[in-house]
Amino acid sequence: MFLKAGALSLALLLASRLLGLVRESAQAAAFGSSGLADLALLMFSLPDWVAGVAASGALTYLLLPAWAAQPPAVVAGLQRRIARGLLAGGGVLALALVLAHGPALAVLAGGLPGPLRAVATQGLAWSALALPAALLAALWTTRLHHERDFLGMYGANLVVNLCLIATLAAVGALAGMRALPWLVGGLGVGLMAAMALRLAWLGRRLPKAPPLQETPALPPPSAWAWAALSAGLPLALPFAARSAASQAGEGALATFGYAWKLAELPQLLAIQLVAMLAFPAVAAALRSAASPPQAGHARRPAMALARW
């Protein structure tokens, strides 16, 4: 099982990450190390970064064990309940980001030159608008992780990157002919199209289940807090370093982003592959308390993969 799933996951993960490099190259070709490149990087990365820090890791840590050995109706019921909370929370975060656009830009992209400040507010509004979709995509990706649908998970990343590459190519071709507000608007439309296409892809891959008569209980708030902290901190530190680098001046954010993408790629491939393969199997095995010998037998290959 692990050999077949590992080969498929590795191929899809490589395709996803390499396409991410192509996206960075398309951005570099379109805007170079300019203020517009800084803004494009911030717009495209902020929604998924906020979703990653606030939800993605916590959802994986809490829901995969909670869903293990549960019937599909229970899994779907808990998924729907959390989806409503994520959409509401995403709306609140989006509103806060728009209202605090000045301090947010000063922290996230302090090196933007004066002429870009006004349109940067427009770009931040597009990112805020994409936040609820990014949070919902994080939940649906966790569900596909539970189902071990690696094609669905990594296919969503391919869809997003292909759409953003097309957006960068189109906007870059118009960079010398359009004013900055038009260019930022084009990037924003491309971002929303990428988010919509990802949700469409994930939604088609989600298994269908009948509704429950009663809503299953959620994990306690303390568990959510610890899961969010443990998963979000490793993501927050590189983003903080990137934001600090942006204070150096125009183009610094984009330059740091290009370098970081290349530096993290080998490590990310190894860690993400092991986590995607081992975690669902470990969670399911630990829930099999009725048969400890079988649980131990199922757990050993996953733990061996993680140690390797």
Side-chain angles (χ1 to χ4, degrees):
M1 178 192 72
F2 279 109
L3 181 60
K4 182 178 179 181
L8 175 63
S9 297
L10 182 59
L12 292 169
L13 182 56
L14 278 172
S16 172
R17 293 303 170 182
L18 290 176
L19 198 59
L21 285 178
V22 174
R23 170 180 146 188
E24 297 292 331
S25 300
Q27 179 180 306
F31 308 126
S33 295
S34 64
L36 190 54
D38 291 346
L39 183 54
L41 179 61
L42 179 63
M43 286 176 61
F44 288 169
S45 62
L46 188 60
D48 281 343
W49 176 77
V50 172
V53 170
S56 294
L59 290 171
T60 299
Y61 291 166
L62 291 177
L63 293 184
L64 292 187
W67 283 342
Q70 294 288 349
V74 172
V75 173
L78 191 54
Q79 174 191 314
R80 284 190 286 266
R81 183 176 181 185
I82 294 174
R84 291 192 291 268
L86 286 176
L87 289 174
V92 172
L93 284 174
L95 181 60
L97 190 60
V98 171
L99 293 177
H101 62 271
L105 283 173
V107 171
L108 299 174
L112 286 176
L116 268 176
R117 288 286 176 176
V119 293
T121 301
Q122 176 190 347
L124 203 62
W126 281 108
S127 293
L129 192 61
L131 269 177
L135 288 166
L136 185 59
L139 174 63
W140 288 0
T141 300
T142 304
R143 176 66 189 278
L144 295 183
H145 191 180
H146 166 72
E147 303 293 339
R148 302 182 193 181
D149 182 357
F150 301 115
L151 177 59
M153 293 172 59
Y154 294 123
N157 293 336
L158 297 177
V159 168
V160 168
N161 281 323
L162 284 171
C163 187
L164 293 181
I165 289 169
T167 299
L168 288 166
V171 174
L174 297 173
M177 298 178 285
R178 291 285 188 176
L180 283 176
W182 283 92
L183 299 178
V184 174
L187 292 173
V189 170
L191 173 63
M192 295 306 300
M195 293 294 170
L197 288 172
R198 176 167 63 181
L199 287 178
W201 170 273
L202 292 171
R204 287 182 62 86
R205 304 288 304 187
L206 288 175
K208 304 298 185 289
L212 284 175
Q213 296 301 317
E214 60 181 73
T215 304
L218 292 171
S222 59
W224 284 105
W226 281 111
L229 282 173
S230 60
L233 188 58
L235 294 176
L237 292 176
F239 201 89
R242 195 183 79 172
S243 299
S246 75
Q247 310 300 317
E250 182 178 2
L253 179 60
T255 301
F256 187 94
Y258 301 149
W260 180 258
K261 180 68 73 173
L262 290 173
E264 73 166 350
L265 182 62
Q267 182 182 17
L268 191 61
L269 286 173
I271 293 174
Q272 192 168 349
L273 176 63
V274 171
M276 289 299 173
L277 292 176
F279 196 23
V282 172
L286 292 176
R287 287 298 295 263
S288 304
S291 179
Q294 290 184 7
H297 179 73
R299 191 164 60 241
R300 277 192 293 273
M303 296 305 295
L305 177 65
R307 285 195 296 268
W308 175 80

